[in-house]
Amino acid sequence: MAAPVDPIQLFSAAINDPPNSAQQAQTLATLREALESQPNRLPMFLSTLVGSTARAENSLLKSWMLDLLHYALSQTTLNIDARTQCEEAILLASSSLDVLESLLNEGDVTTCKVVIQCFASVYPLLFRLLCLSRQQPSARSQWETVGRAKARILDLVGAPGVNIGLKLAALKFMQRVILVQTRNAVDPRLQSKNDPNLSQCPTDHPFLKADQLEQEGVRLLQQLVTILFTSQSVDLISAIVNGWASLVEHRPIFLPFIVQTLVTWTPNALAASPSNIRSVEKTIKIMLVYISKKPQAAPHMAQINAALGQQAMRLEQLAQDERNRRAEASRKRSLPASEETGSDPKRPKIENQPEAGPSIASVLSSFDFRTLPAALIIELIIANLTALSATTLQTAVANHRQTIRSQTPADPSQLPNGEAAVPVAEPVDPLKMEIDDELDYKLDRLDSQLEEQQDPAHSRDGNAAVGFPLNLTEFAMPPPRALSESEREVLVKSSLLEMQHRAEELLRPNNKEDDSKAAGLLGKPLAAMSSLFLVRIVSRGLESPFQDEAISSSDLPVQKQRQVDRLRQSLCDFVLDNFPARAEFATMWMNEEWYNDRIQSAENPSRPPVYDVWLQKIVSGYRRKLDGKDKSFSAFLLDLPHISSTLLELLRELMSVGFTTLRELVATRPPVRSEALCILLELTTHPEKVPRNAAIITLKRWVPDVQPMDGLIREFARQMLRRLEKKVSQEPTSGAGDNATEEDGQLPAEALVQTPYLPVDLHLPAEKPQVLQYVELLFALSVKAPDLLDDIFAGYSRMDVSVQEALQDLLTPLIRSLGSGHGKLLTLLRNIRRGAESLALRVITIFTENGRPSAPLVALVKALIAERNLDARFLMPIIGEMDKADIIRHLPRVVATLNGTAEQKNIVRSVFTTIISTPSENFGTVSSNEPRVRHSELLTPAELMILLHQYEKEIGLKSAMEGIGICFSMTEVFRSEILAVVMQQIVDEPVLPVLFLRTVIQAVTTYKSLVGFVSTTLLSRLVTKRIWINPPLWEGFIRCAKAIAPASFGALVQLPKEQLREIVDKQPSLKAGLREFVLKKSGNKAKVAGFLDIFNDETPSSTESSVQRPQTPTQPPIPAVSSPTAA
């Protein structure tokens, strides 16, 4: 792997290269690559070189430096840490901002644009730094420099003749200034480091005046609105609207103002092409749709929807104008060249001019319009009709009617060949014609054509009888021909095939634009018409069966039902064959069946409904093919006219599609809202995690702002919690009325809601997965609705112990998400209910598991302990944050909790770790000047061990022994030198603790290096303190002497003869060693003889005298010493 290139050497080489040469360009390119690969070098370059390089004349090196500056401050490809270091380096360099300001006055557009973009990145950071470090000497001058640059940049926005690129850069800078000079959240805990704003500015800042800056920010926002309504630049308007997305995201307080501005904007003042106007309209539409998805936009949805509707009408009018313009252009292109261009004004006029050419009317009369595409003909007709005024069109229609009346004889016999006059129908507005009217018109026309083909006497070929009278007032349509069952089935199947063929034609790509337009105009209405005609025949046309002599009257209803079922089954098979493409047809069919059921039930109440039967078949049939990403099925269900309970129960099992549909039904269909919401609520108790979480996510969007769903969801969650509480026995008492209620307000068991996924009664002892089914919804809602925490703490004390233990584990994610600074949670801990102490302890433990407790939490726990005398478990999480006096005062209560279990030992060990200051490795050998963190507030290891001995009565001997054993297990803290200090200080006490000698034995057992200290110093000191007068300590002395023998022989021979004889009697194994020690020791022979007499005298009298010595222990006997590992 190649060694990294040194950027300093490359920059020196670039300076030495010929200016503006290809060699210098190549060196600078290599330097740029090296800096991008080593972003930690960028701050040095920017802080030291930007001033000297940027002041130079225009050159390749200056352009390179500005490009590097833009990369460091404005490019998102650079990681956030490196970019922040670059920004801080520029701000800390006193001359950098002055250089950037001077570059704004240069005439080069590219340079000015880059500098403006750099200021847009620097301005928020400088504001934040000056808010935090207001007393720096250069702070005021930096702010004044940026203020001058800000004024210069903002002037570019409204100045005439400025390059559009500069204006857009200045506009972006203005929007950044508005974000900085407005306020975000008032609560300082909600402030973000990456969002500098006026809320972070101190009120007493020496030169940052928050009120003045806020007024300027509001004025700039008003200036943006003025530009939006008056500017003729499409780019500026689009940039303003797009820039408001960040304002909506970070400053929700301005959302009503932005909504009001966008809904009132119209393109009336914008003199631009239709395509540009359409572009601006789409930009505003996108912004309105983006705003509508924000929770804060709920009060403004009516305004937004109305504005979107008006905008759709404006876009449609633009499209219509564009079509008219194209039609006019096409009409002009189709005219002859002589008519289009007219006569040449420069051609000299001659008296004898030739006759004029053919007129436009004669040319159009001889033109074959069938050669033109159908779409073009339609556009031409619409364009010509649009060009006429309403008065001219009405006058032409009236004149044409008068002409027809004048040419029609009053007597039908006066017509040639005796033809009767055909009445002229009044014109019908095609936009007002209903589908049924259009169908009736086409059917009437088809019947008339069939009659003409069947009856030659009614034809118009001239062979009809002369003078045949035609009386239209008495005319009646002949009854339709009855179709047999097979004919009806063939008709339905052929219609289905025709619809499928037509749909395939519409979907087939066509290279000719005109043909595709014609297919779009003609094919879709005909397909919809055919679909409507077909479903109405099946749903309504078969209610009256045909008369067939082969079928008896008794078999007629059965035969009729079979016919209907077969035809409807054909429709059902057709829909299921390709449901996503035929969902609209299925919706049309179901709507017709539902409407027909209502009509028929009014006439025949006993008639069974058809809608539910076939809807169930469609849903059941497609359910096997359903894909979780298929949105057509959800849209089909939402468009149904009626949702039955059976269908809602089916949605319970459809997972993602079912959740989407149920959510929309709750939001948009009030008649079924209660049932759909009930299903979603019940699914929150599902035993499987995936459907349960999906239901909870669906319901959370309605809490806490959407009613009535919010209240219903909260009440359900509370009732699920109450079902975990113990049932109160209801014993009848005299004088109790029917309206008697529980003292604590708890609902009776029969009033609580039940779900199909939970048992009627909770099985005890409860398991954690089962408890989670009851409370997961409540926990999820508590994040958005903290008042629900009251119910958790209130109901906890009325639960079984197994349920409480499960809740303590399940609450962990919720408590961590709320944090130790959550006001509601701290209030509940401060006013904890009786019986909920274990829950409060769990909450405090969660807050302190992965870090130090906060100051408010420590103060709260200390107050609780002082007021309620809570047990020592509440002390353990926060004792490390107390001062030394409080630690010593509460230490016995903490150690007294030891009960022999490994779990409790680990807890106390963690407490010891937090309350002692670890000594350095050189403790006891050389002096150390290392700093001690909170040394005055913590205990030293020696102090902790001494306190455990001094408070052995308050703690209890057994618990104190466990605490001392924990200290011995912490070998990295309680080293041999620490134990030597402990033993030396304790032995100097006037009253020795009972456990002292046990600790000494354990110390010499753990650290053999302490044997010399104990044998020469400690035991001798105990002899002088007459240790034998305290029987428990004397017993420990004997055991210690045996443990370190023969090192203890020197101290033993200092004992009086009677005590030495007692030791020899109790520990015979020491006799031989003592004899040898005395024999080897030179000195007074009489004293040696006395010792030998003790070692050889085994008369019963001596033994009896030692046994009959009164044993009146004032303290319990010293316990046996266990190994350090066992402790």
Side-chain angles (χ1 to χ4, degrees):
M1 182 175 179
V5 181
D6 186 7
I8 302 295
Q9 296 179 359
L10 286 177
F11 187 75
S12 301
I15 294 177
N16 296 328
D17 289 338
N20 302 326
S21 62
Q23 182 180 357
Q24 189 182 43
Q26 180 62 32
T27 306
L28 291 175
T30 306
L31 176 57
R32 174 65 178 270
E33 294 178 358
L35 289 174
E36 291 182 3
S37 62
Q38 306 176 43
N40 57 330
R41 298 292 188 96
L42 280 172
M44 183 272 294
F45 269 82
L46 295 175
S47 60
T48 58
L49 302 178
V50 67
S52 59
T53 308
R55 284 196 178 95
E57 298 180 356
N58 290 334
S59 62
L60 179 62
L61 183 60
K62 179 178 180 179
S63 301
W64 178 86
M65 180 58 70
L66 290 176
D67 184 59
L68 180 65
L69 181 65
H70 181 262
Y71 167 78
L73 297 180
S74 304
Q75 293 297 319
T76 57
T77 55
L78 191 64
N79 64 75
I80 185 64
D81 295 332
R83 189 162 67 250
T84 303
Q85 293 176 4
C86 295
E87 292 171 346
E88 294 178 351
I90 291 178
L91 294 178
L92 294 176
S94 59
S95 61
S96 300
L97 293 177
D98 296 330
V99 173
L100 290 177
E101 181 197 4
S102 64
L103 291 177
L104 288 174
N105 299 322
E106 292 195 1
D108 186 51
V109 175
T110 303
T111 301
C112 291
K113 184 177 178 180
V114 171
V115 172
I116 293 174
Q117 292 174 347
C118 292
F119 268 112
S121 301
V122 168
Y123 188 80
L125 178 64
L126 178 64
F127 178 83
R128 188 185 66 192
L129 289 179
L130 295 182
C131 288
L132 298 176
S133 56
R134 65 180 89 173
Q135 301 300 334
Q136 289 187 2
S138 61
R140 184 184 293 271
S141 61
Q142 286 181 334
W143 181 249
E144 292 175 352
T145 302
V146 173
R148 292 192 299 271
K150 178 176 69 172
R152 177 75 179 91
I153 297 172
L154 295 179
D155 289 341
L156 296 176
V157 177
V162 180
N163 179 271
I164 186 64
L166 281 180
K167 278 199 172 186
L168 292 176
L171 192 65
K172 181 178 179 181
F173 175 80
M174 178 185 286
Q175 292 172 337
R176 190 66 61 87
V177 171
I178 293 174
L179 277 174
V180 174
Q181 296 183 191
T182 51
R183 299 183 185 274
N184 191 6
V186 179
D187 191 348
R189 295 174 298 177
L190 301 179
Q191 296 292 338
S192 174
K193 178 183 178 182
N194 299 324
D195 181 22
N197 60 87
L198 282 182
S199 299
Q200 302 174 359
C201 180
T203 56
D204 58 343
H205 201 283
F207 54 86
L208 290 181
K209 306 302 181 183
D211 295 339
Q212 298 177 5
L213 294 176
E214 187 171 15
Q215 293 176 3
E216 182 185 14
V218 174
R219 180 176 55 80
L220 293 178
L221 183 59
Q222 295 174 351
Q223 183 179 351
L224 286 182
V225 175
T226 304
I227 297 174
L228 179 69
F229 280 91
T230 59
S231 176
Q232 300 297 320
S233 174
V234 175
D235 295 331
L236 284 180
I237 296 176
S238 300
I240 291 173
V241 176
N242 290 330
W244 279 350
S246 59
L247 195 62
V248 171
E249 181 70 24
H250 299 288
R251 304 292 182 270
I253 189 174
F254 290 111
L255 188 140
F257 175 78
I258 294 175
V259 171
Q260 184 64 27
T261 302
L262 293 178
V263 300
T264 56
W265 183 90
T266 59
N268 296 337
L270 184 60
S273 63
S275 60
N276 288 337
I277 295 177
R278 190 181 302 110
S279 176
V280 176
E281 293 276 19
K282 289 184 178 179
T283 302
I284 293 179
K285 178 181 178 181
I286 292 173
M287 181 55 62
L288 286 174
V289 173
Y290 170 75
I291 293 175
S292 65
K293 296 180 180 179
K294 296 292 181 181
Q296 300 87 349
H300 310 284
M301 287 306 300
Q303 277 183 293
I304 294 175
N305 293 331
L308 291 176
Q310 294 176 2
Q311 189 184 65
M313 295 173 61
R314 292 199 300 267
L315 291 174
E316 180 63 27
Q317 184 62 37
L318 281 175
Q320 180 64 34
D321 295 342
E322 183 67 15
R323 288 195 294 268
N324 295 342
R325 185 188 64 79
R326 292 182 180 179
E328 181 65 20
S330 301
R331 184 183 65 80
K332 290 181 179 181
R333 287 195 300 269
S334 64
L335 294 178
S338 60
E339 294 295 337
E340 183 179 357
T341 59
S343 59
D344 191 353
K346 295 183 179 180
R347 180 181 300 172
K349 295 184 179 179
I350 305 176
E351 295 181 359
N352 298 327
Q353 295 182 0
E355 295 182 359
S359 63
I360 297 178
S362 61
V363 173
L364 293 179
S365 63
S366 61
F367 182 74
D368 187 5
F369 285 93
R370 291 176 295 180
T371 60
L372 297 178
L376 179 58
I377 295 176
I378 294 174
E379 289 186 0
L380 290 174
I381 293 173
I382 295 175
N384 283 278
L385 290 176
T386 307
L388 296 175
S389 63
T391 306
T392 304
L393 183 60
Q394 293 176 1
T395 304
V397 172
N399 294 337
H400 184 65
R401 289 177 178 174
Q402 185 64 30
T403 303
I404 294 176
R405 293 192 187 98
S406 62
Q407 295 177 359
T408 304
D411 188 359
S413 62
Q414 298 179 8
L415 292 175
N417 297 330
E419 294 180 354
V422 179
V424 180
E426 292 292 332
V428 180
D429 186 357
L431 297 178
K432 298 180 180 179
M433 181 184 293
E434 298 291 341
I435 296 179
D436 293 343
D437 299 337
E438 189 175 354
L439 285 175
D440 295 338
Y441 166 74
K442 293 189 175 184
L443 292 175
D444 293 341
R445 183 176 179 184
L446 180 61
D447 290 338
S448 63
Q449 292 177 0
L450 292 175
E451 289 178 1
E452 290 178 358
Q453 294 176 4
Q454 294 175 1
D455 192 354
H458 292 179
S459 63
R460 301 179 181 178
D461 57 1
N463 298 326
V466 179
F468 181 79
L470 182 61
N471 189 358
L472 295 179
T473 58
E474 299 178 357
F475 176 77
M477 286 288 294
R481 183 174 66 88
L483 299 178
S484 64
E485 180 181 356
S486 59
E487 290 175 335
R488 292 189 179 195
E489 294 182 2
V490 170
L491 177 61
V492 172
K493 293 180 180 179
S494 62
S495 300
L496 292 174
L497 292 175
E498 180 183 356
M499 290 171 54
Q500 184 177 5
H501 178 67
R502 188 179 300 280
E504 292 174 354
E505 287 183 348
L506 293 176
L507 296 175
R508 186 182 301 120
N510 198 328
N511 295 329
K512 296 182 179 180
E513 183 180 358
D514 295 335
D515 293 343
S516 62
K517 289 183 178 179
L521 291 171
L522 300 176
K524 291 183 179 178
L526 291 178
M529 188 183 304
S530 302
S531 301
L532 181 61
F533 183 66
L534 179 63
V535 297
R536 286 189 177 179
I537 286 178
V538 174
S539 61
R540 306 186 196 179
L542 301 178
E543 292 297 332
S544 299
F546 64 89
Q547 299 294 332
D548 194 342
E549 297 179 356
I551 301 176
S552 63
S553 59
S554 59
D555 296 335
L556 192 59
V558 178
Q559 186 66 21
K560 170 187 174 181
Q561 189 61 39
R562 291 176 182 175
Q563 296 167 7
V564 175
D565 290 343
R566 281 196 293 267
L567 293 177
R568 285 177 173 142
Q569 186 62 48
S570 300
L571 289 183
C572 183
D573 296 339
F574 171 75
V575 169
L576 294 178
D577 185 53
N578 188 4
F579 185 85
R582 297 165 184 168
E584 294 184 4
F585 176 79
T587 302
M588 184 187 302
W589 177 27
M590 289 297 101
N591 277 272
E592 288 294 330
E593 292 289 3
W594 174 79
Y595 181 67
N596 187 52
D597 281 349
R598 295 186 63 185
I599 297 175
Q600 298 300 327
S601 61
E603 299 178 358
N604 183 14
S606 61
R607 176 184 177 273
V610 176
Y611 167 80
D612 293 331
V613 175
W614 290 99
L615 175 60
Q616 184 70 22
K617 289 189 176 182
I618 292 177
V619 173
S620 301
Y622 188 61
R623 179 184 176 185
R624 296 186 293 270
K625 309 176 184 178
L626 185 60
D627 184 6
K629 300 180 180 179
D630 186 5
K631 297 182 179 180
S632 60
F633 188 68
S634 178
F636 164 73
L637 296 175
L638 293 174
D639 290 337
L640 291 174
H642 174 67
I643 305 293
S644 63
S645 301
T646 304
L647 182 59
L648 289 175
E649 288 297 325
L650 179 63
L651 293 177
R652 185 195 295 267
E653 306 172 5
L654 292 183
M655 297 301 290
S656 59
V657 175
F659 286 117
T660 303
T661 308
L662 288 171
R663 181 189 65 203
E664 296 300 325
L665 289 176
V666 172
T668 60
R669 301 285 287 271
V672 296
R673 173 178 295 164
S674 177
E675 294 183 68
L677 183 61
C678 181
I679 293 176
L680 284 174
L681 291 172
E682 291 177 352
L683 285 171
T684 60
T685 63
H686 199 282
E688 297 181 7
K689 183 178 181 62
V690 174
R692 186 172 67 245
N693 288 350
I696 292 174
I697 293 172
T698 303
L699 293 172
K700 279 178 62 178
R701 65 178 58 209
W702 292 315
V703 177
D705 300 324
V706 183
Q707 297 294 343
M709 284 77 84
D710 173 49
L712 297 174
I713 295 171
R714 293 193 189 202
E715 181 58 28
F716 178 85
R718 290 188 177 103
Q719 292 200 29
M720 286 295 101
L721 182 68
R722 294 191 191 107
R723 290 190 58 184
L724 293 175
E725 299 175 5
K726 298 178 182 178
K727 291 186 177 180
V728 181
S729 59
Q730 299 290 337
E731 297 181 359
T733 57
S734 59
D738 296 336
N739 297 327
T741 57
E742 300 292 339
E743 293 182 0
D744 56 0
Q746 181 182 0
L747 292 175
E750 59 272 9
L752 297 177
V753 68
Q754 303 287 337
T755 72
Y757 307 109
L758 296 174
V760 177
D761 295 323
L762 180 65
H763 300 296
L764 298 177
E767 298 180 357
K768 187 165 66 173
Q770 186 179 11
V771 175
L772 182 62
Q773 292 178 242
Y774 286 88
V775 298
E776 189 168 8
L777 173 63
L778 183 65
F779 288 175
L781 297 180
S782 299
V783 179
K784 302 179 70 174
D787 58 293
L788 294 175
L789 295 172
D790 292 328
D791 299 273
I792 298 176
F793 279 79
Y796 179 85
S797 59
R798 298 190 291 267
M799 296 178 183
D800 184 74
V801 176
S802 61
V803 179
Q804 291 180 347
E805 293 176 353
L807 276 181
Q808 292 180 20
D809 291 338
L810 297 173
L811 268 173
T812 302
L814 172 61
I815 300 303
R816 287 177 178 171
S817 64
L818 295 177
S820 60
H822 195 272
K824 182 65 176 179
L825 199 54
L826 292 178
T827 302
L828 288 172
L829 292 177
R830 185 67 181 84
N831 304 305
I832 189 66
R833 295 171 177 262
R834 296 292 180 185
E837 290 83 0
S838 58
L839 179 60
L841 176 62
R842 177 57 184 164
V843 173
I844 296 171
T845 305
I846 292 172
F847 286 152
T848 57
E849 281 178 344
N850 301 318
R852 295 176 57 184
S854 61
L857 183 63
V858 174
L860 186 147
V861 176
K862 290 174 67 175
L864 284 177
I865 294 174
E867 294 175 4
R868 300 198 179 187
N869 194 25
L870 299 176
D871 58 44
R873 293 177 300 168
F874 285 85
L875 288 167
M876 296 178 183
I878 58 102
I879 192 172
E881 301 300 321
M882 294 183 177
D883 54 24
K884 194 170 186 177
D886 289 335
I887 293 176
I888 295 175
R889 181 160 53 91
H890 295 297
L891 180 64
R893 296 181 60 188
V894 174
V895 181
T897 60
L898 290 170
N899 53 11
T901 61
E903 180 183 2
Q904 196 61 29
K905 285 183 179 181
N906 292 332
I907 296 175
V908 175
R909 180 181 289 107
S910 65
V911 172
F912 286 175
T913 304
T914 59
I915 65 175
I916 61 176
S917 57
T918 305
S920 64
E921 294 292 336
N922 298 325
F923 178 84
T925 58
V926 296
S927 63
S928 175
N929 294 323
E930 296 179 358
R932 301 179 182 179
V933 181
R934 299 180 67 247
H935 177 73
S936 60
E937 301 177 8
L938 298 179
L939 301 176
T940 64
E943 289 175 336
L944 174 61
M945 183 75 84
I946 293 172
L947 288 173
L948 292 178
H949 288 79
Q950 290 177 347
Y951 291 108
E952 61 183 6
K953 293 182 179 180
E954 291 84 351
I955 297 173
L957 289 180
K958 187 175 182 180
S959 298
M961 283 190 295
E962 289 189 45
I964 296 171
I966 293 173
C967 293
F968 275 99
S969 67
M970 301 168 63
T971 56
E972 70 282 357
V973 177
F974 291 88
R975 301 191 294 272
S976 59
E977 58 270 19
I978 300 293
L979 295 176
V981 172
V982 171
M983 291 185 290
Q984 182 64 50
Q985 292 187 17
I986 294 179
V987 77
D988 292 335
E989 294 289 335
V991 179
L992 296 179
V994 176
L995 299 178
F996 173 61
L997 268 302
R998 182 182 184 278
T999 302
V1000 174
I1001 297 172
Q1002 198 166 356
V1004 295
T1005 305
T1006 306
Y1007 299 103
K1008 298 299 182 182
S1009 60
L1010 293 175
V1011 171
F1013 167 75
V1014 172
S1015 61
T1016 59
T1017 303
L1018 191 66
L1019 293 183
S1020 299
R1021 184 77 177 87
L1022 292 175
V1023 171
T1024 60
K1025 291 175 70 74
R1026 298 172 58 86
I1027 189 66
W1028 54 85
I1029 64 176
N1030 191 328
L1033 292 177
W1034 174 243
E1035 183 69 23
F1037 182 89
I1038 296 174
R1039 292 183 182 182
C1040 180
K1042 180 181 178 182
I1044 62 174
S1048 60
F1049 291 167
L1052 293 180
V1053 296
Q1054 300 175 20
L1055 291 169
K1057 293 183 178 180
E1058 185 178 357
Q1059 279 70 36
L1060 181 59
R1061 180 178 287 107
E1062 182 179 354
I1063 291 177
V1064 172
D1065 293 341
K1066 291 185 176 180
Q1067 300 293 339
S1069 60
L1070 298 177
K1071 183 184 296 186
L1074 282 171
R1075 184 186 297 110
E1076 294 179 2
F1077 178 79
V1078 170
L1079 292 175
K1080 292 179 179 180
K1081 183 178 179 183
S1082 59
N1084 190 344
K1085 294 183 179 181
K1087 188 175 182 180
V1088 172
F1091 283 125
L1092 293 177
D1093 180 62
I1094 295 174
F1095 299 148
N1096 294 327
D1097 187 8
E1098 297 181 1
T1099 60
S1101 60
S1102 62
T1103 305
E1104 183 178 356
S1105 61
S1106 64
V1107 173
Q1108 292 179 354
R1109 184 182 293 110
Q1111 300 291 334
T1112 57
T1114 58
Q1115 299 181 14
I1118 187 170
V1121 179
S1122 59
S1123 63
T1125 56

